């Protein structure tokens, strides 16, 4: 994928620690490792057992915590969040973790994913007089937790979580404990690690490694894990049922870092196999294989190994420009596109080039890359994509454009090839996508297949709850 306006965006990253002295710097490091999952905002909330303190802001982790240093965050438990908005606009109120004061204490919430039934739950509470502070789907959990229906009964958190449909990895915190929960279908990853005498929770294992934590296991789908004075204990809020698992295959294709273990597999190794399989499914006579860095790197290596065509560096990435793809507004994205990758003409000039990308969304960016390769003297340009055509939007926390904006949503492969100006175009098959796994049954692949694993209560996209917030009755 071309890391810009032609790309999907991730929902968020979450990181939490319980039972370690001075957790704020550890959470900061964890969030920094998860920066690729969201760049719009970041926040850390910690507790020393009696006081809760927080720092939140818009922008990159480094920027947020240099503007507002974390020295004042004192505590031995805390959670953090990096945000890309998949519901709600880019504004400070939507930056997480959310902190809410309920009648029986403070709740802190950090969420990765998208709740497909947030709109009706929100409407129900708003009609009953509740006031929402944000336009995010995540806030409905706070209202469920505060609702006397749940508050006054046993297994309050589990019962509230059981009301939610769609994709979620949640970290929750009170003054004295950290909780981690994953939806019953297991859409988003969430791992548990051990750090000294304490515990760490992270969206991806790369963040465990980079904070010195030892990986223990993943939070299971439908499981609520609590870290408190008594240690680590677990319960389920929905009975385990393998047949309903719907892990997001796009984590493997693009989102997760190659050095993470996701759904039990190393991401780099899976992408290598995607590249190898792509070479088998779409062979081509060429002189060199190049990748669209960084997310096409592993698959291009796999393609090179399987095809015997040497791998080279055809694009050089400017690491000092932000990952513009993750900026939410079209103008902000397009302004950085041309600055990011430059062609190494010495490598591609006069060559038949295979360029490996991880996905094509709108088609506009790969088209620009193909043009720049030709302008640099490439004799032929063959595009290979390490996933099937993206034909459908995602309702589970990945901000794809609408079906109309997805080029494969309305065009066939030959028309896309013509549009991007390539000599040939080959996508990995749906079967090839699952070769590393035991078939499709434990995964969601709806953006490719159109087979959504849940009912979708609201298909209005990320601004759906925003518009609900704006429907004010001004008849006063
Ligand atoms: S629709 Fe695609 S991106 Fe969304 S959860 Fe399913 S596989 Fe992942």
């Amino acid at each position: 994928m071309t890391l810009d306006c032609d790309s999907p965006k991730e929902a968020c990253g979450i990181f939490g620690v319980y039972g370690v002295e001075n957790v704020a710097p550890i959470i900061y490091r964890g969030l920094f490792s998860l920066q690729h999952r969201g760049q719009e905002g970041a926040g850390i909330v910690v507790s020393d057992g009696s006081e809760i303190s927080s720092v939140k802001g818009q922008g990159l982790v480094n920027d947020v915590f240099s503007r507002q240093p974390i020295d004042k965050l004192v505590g031995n438990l805390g959670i953090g969040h990096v945000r890309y908005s998949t519901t709600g606009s880019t504004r400070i109120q939507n930056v997480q973790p959310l902190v809410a004061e309920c009648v029986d204490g403070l709740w802190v919430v950090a969420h990765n994913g998208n709740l497909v039934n947030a709109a009706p739950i929100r409407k129900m509470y708003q009609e009953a007089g509740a006031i929402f502070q944000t336009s995010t789907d995540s806030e409905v959990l706070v209202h469920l937790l505060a609702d006397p229906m749940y508050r006054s009964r046993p297994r309050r958190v589990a019962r509230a979580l059981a009301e939610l449909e769609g994709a979620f990895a949640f970290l929750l915190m009170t003054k004295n404990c950290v909780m981690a929960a994953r939806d019953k279908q297991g859409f988003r990853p969430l791992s548990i690690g051990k750090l000294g005498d304490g515990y760490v929770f992270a969206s991806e294992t790369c963040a465990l490694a980079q904070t010195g934590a030892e990986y223990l296991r993943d939070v299971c789908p439908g499981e609520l894990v609590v870290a408190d004075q008594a240690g680590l204990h677990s319960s389920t809020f929905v009975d385990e049922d393998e047949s309903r698992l719907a892990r997001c295959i796009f984590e493997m294709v693009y989102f997760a870092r190659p050095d993470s273990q996701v759904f039990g597999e190393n991401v780099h190794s899976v992408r290598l196999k995607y590249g190898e399989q792509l070479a088998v499914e779409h062979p081509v006579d060429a002189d060199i294989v190049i990748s669209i860095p960084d997310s096409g790197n592993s698959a291009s290596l796999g393609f090179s190994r399987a095809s015997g065509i040497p791998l080279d560096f055809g694009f050089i990435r400017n690491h000092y420009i932000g990952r513009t793809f993750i900026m939410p507004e079209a103008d902000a994205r397009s302004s950085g596109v041309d600055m990011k990758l430059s062609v190494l003409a010495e490598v591609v000039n006069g060559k038949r080039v295979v360029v490996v990308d991880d996905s094509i969304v709108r088609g506009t960016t790969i088209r620009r890359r193909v043009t720049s390769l030709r302008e640099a003297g490439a004799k032929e340009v063959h595009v290979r994509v390490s996933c099937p055509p993206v034909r459908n939007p995602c309702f589970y926390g990945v901000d794809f454009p609408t079906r109309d904006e997805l080029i494969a949503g309305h065009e066939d492969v030959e028309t896309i090839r013509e549009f991007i100006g390539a000599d040939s175009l080959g996508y990995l098959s749906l079967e090839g996508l699952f070769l590393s796994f035991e078939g499709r049954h434990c995964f969601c692949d709806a953006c490719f297949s159109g087979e959504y694993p849940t009912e979708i209560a609201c298909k209005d996209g990320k601004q759906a709850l925003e518009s609900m917030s704006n429907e004010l009755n001004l008849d006063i």
Side-chain angles (χ1 to χ4, degrees):
M1 161 190 355
T2 30
L3 305 174
D4 43 45
C5 58
D6 193 23
S7 310
K9 298 91 185 172
E10 179 54 285
C12 297
I14 54 178
F15 190 89
V17 185
Y18 176 86
V20 181
E21 205 178 318
N22 194 17
V23 291
I26 302 167
I27 299 172
Y28 169 77
R29 288 230 305 268
L31 294 183
F32 193 73
S33 313
L34 297 173
Q35 184 78 87
H36 58 289
R37 299 183 72 89
Q39 300 185 332
E40 280 182 39
I44 296 176
V45 180
V46 307
S47 167
D48 62 5
S50 57
E51 294 290 324
I52 278 183
S53 46
S54 70
V55 167
K56 291 199 272 183
Q58 288 175 288
L60 299 172
V61 169
N62 253 346
D63 298 336
V64 170
F65 301 118
S66 57
R67 285 196 306 264
Q68 307 171 77
I70 54 174
D71 319 357
K72 66 167 189 171
L73 300 182
V74 179
N76 61 347
L77 63 152
I79 64 176
H81 188 269
V82 287
R83 170 174 165 79
Y84 177 84
S85 57
T86 51
T87 63
S89 58
T90 307
R91 55 178 159 117
I92 186 68
Q93 292 91 335
N94 287 342
V95 175
Q96 298 190 20
L98 306 177
V99 180
E101 186 149 9
C102 297
V103 68
D104 58 346
L106 281 168
W107 285 92
V108 187
V109 173
H111 173 208
N112 172 206
N114 236 44
L115 305 174
V116 295
N117 64 343
I121 296 175
R122 183 180 174 114
K123 191 164 192 280
M124 177 185 79
Y125 282 117
Q126 283 183 320
E127 283 178 355
I131 293 170
F132 280 71
Q133 303 289 331
T134 76
S135 55
T136 69
D137 56 340
S138 321
E139 197 180 350
V140 299
L141 179 58
V142 174
H143 286 263
L144 286 166
L145 291 168
D147 187 329
M149 274 274 296
Y150 300 91
R151 203 177 67 226
S152 54
R153 296 196 185 166
R155 304 192 71 237
R156 161 197 199 170
V157 178
R159 286 161 50 82
L161 290 167
E163 293 296 325
L164 302 176
E165 295 290 338
F168 60 83
F170 269 115
L171 289 181
L172 305 173
M173 191 179 95
T174 67
K175 283 181 180 173
N176 300 304
C177 76
V178 172
M179 303 174 208
R182 206 165 148 217
D183 69 73
K184 62 191 174 195
Q185 278 143 317
F187 281 98
R188 301 278 151 236
L190 186 58
S191 303
I192 310 171
K194 186 98 178 83
L195 183 63
D197 293 330
Y199 297 95
V200 177
F201 302 95
S203 289
E204 288 184 38
T205 60
C206 66
L208 299 181
Q210 296 204 331
T211 52
E214 177 200 348
Y215 171 74
L216 289 181
R217 67 176 178 88
D218 288 349
V219 176
C220 296
E223 183 184 19
L224 171 64
V225 178
V226 181
D228 62 14
Q229 241 181 348
L232 203 64
H233 33 114
S234 156
S235 61
T236 52
F237 55 89
V238 182
D239 288 341
E240 208 173 321
D241 179 357
E242 254 207 25
S243 69
R244 92 182 138 220
L245 285 183
R247 300 175 293 193
C248 171
I249 195 66
F250 219 85
E251 291 277 352
M252 286 297 177
V253 171
Y254 170 67
F255 289 123
R257 258 175 49 163
D259 53 338
S260 286
Q261 299 289 124
V262 171
F263 309 139
E265 298 285 338
N266 169 252
V267 174
H268 166 69
S269 306
V270 172
R271 289 182 190 162
L272 261 182
K273 287 185 198 160
Y274 286 169
E276 289 169 359
Q277 179 63 16
L278 197 51
V280 171
E281 293 182 10
H282 299 284
V284 60
D285 278 336
D287 302 310
I288 54 168
V289 176
I290 65 171
S291 107
I292 302 284
D294 292 327
S295 48
N297 289 353
S298 302
S300 62
L301 179 59
F303 193 100
S304 169
R305 283 182 183 170
S307 63
I309 303 169
L311 182 70
D312 210 329
F313 298 108
F315 285 107
I316 301 299
R317 184 174 162 199
N318 182 343
H319 286 270
Y320 300 96
I321 192 164
R323 291 180 72 180
T324 52
F325 79 102
I326 215 148
M327 296 179 190
E329 302 302 332
D331 286 351
R333 291 194 302 255
S334 59
S335 65
V337 166
D338 297 326
M339 297 294 293
K340 190 182 299 172
L341 293 186
S342 55
V343 182
L344 243 176
E346 290 75 6
V347 169
V348 303
N349 187 19
K351 305 267 177 55
R352 297 170 300 165
V353 177
V354 179
V355 57
V356 179
D357 203 350
D358 61 85
S359 58
I360 295 178
V361 179
R362 290 180 174 89
T364 49
T365 309
I366 188 67
R367 182 188 192 185
R368 208 160 30 238
R369 303 292 183 235
V370 171
T371 303
S372 62
L373 287 169
R374 290 202 191 283
E375 287 171 353
K379 211 157 68 180
E380 294 174 15
V381 181
H382 303 274
V383 175
R384 296 294 179 269
V385 185
S386 59
C387 74
V390 178
R391 296 198 162 98
N392 309 283
C394 173
F395 300 103
Y396 309 115
V398 177
D399 189 21
F400 284 126
T402 63
R403 193 182 166 97
D404 284 349
E405 294 168 310
L406 291 166
I407 191 165
H410 48 87
E411 303 294 356
D412 61 19
V413 173
E414 176 53 20
T415 309
I416 298 171
R417 182 200 66 73
E418 266 179 45
F419 175 77
I420 67 175
D423 292 283
S424 72
L425 170 63
Y427 287 91
L428 186 66
S429 65
L430 201 54
E431 295 68 36
L433 198 61
F434 292 101
L435 276 185
S436 299
F437 306 99
E438 293 160 9
R440 288 173 61 197
H441 61 280
C442 290
F443 286 90
C444 173
D445 55 27
C447 46
F448 307 118
S449 65
E451 296 165 22
Y452 291 96
T454 67
E455 292 291 318
I456 312 290
C458 174
K459 295 187 175 177
D460 289 347
K462 65 190 269 186
Q463 303 300 336
L465 303 182
E466 199 75 38
S467 51
M468 282 176 71
S469 307
N470 293 338
E471 285 168 12
L472 277 182
N473 175 1
L474 293 177
D475 184 11
I476 51 177

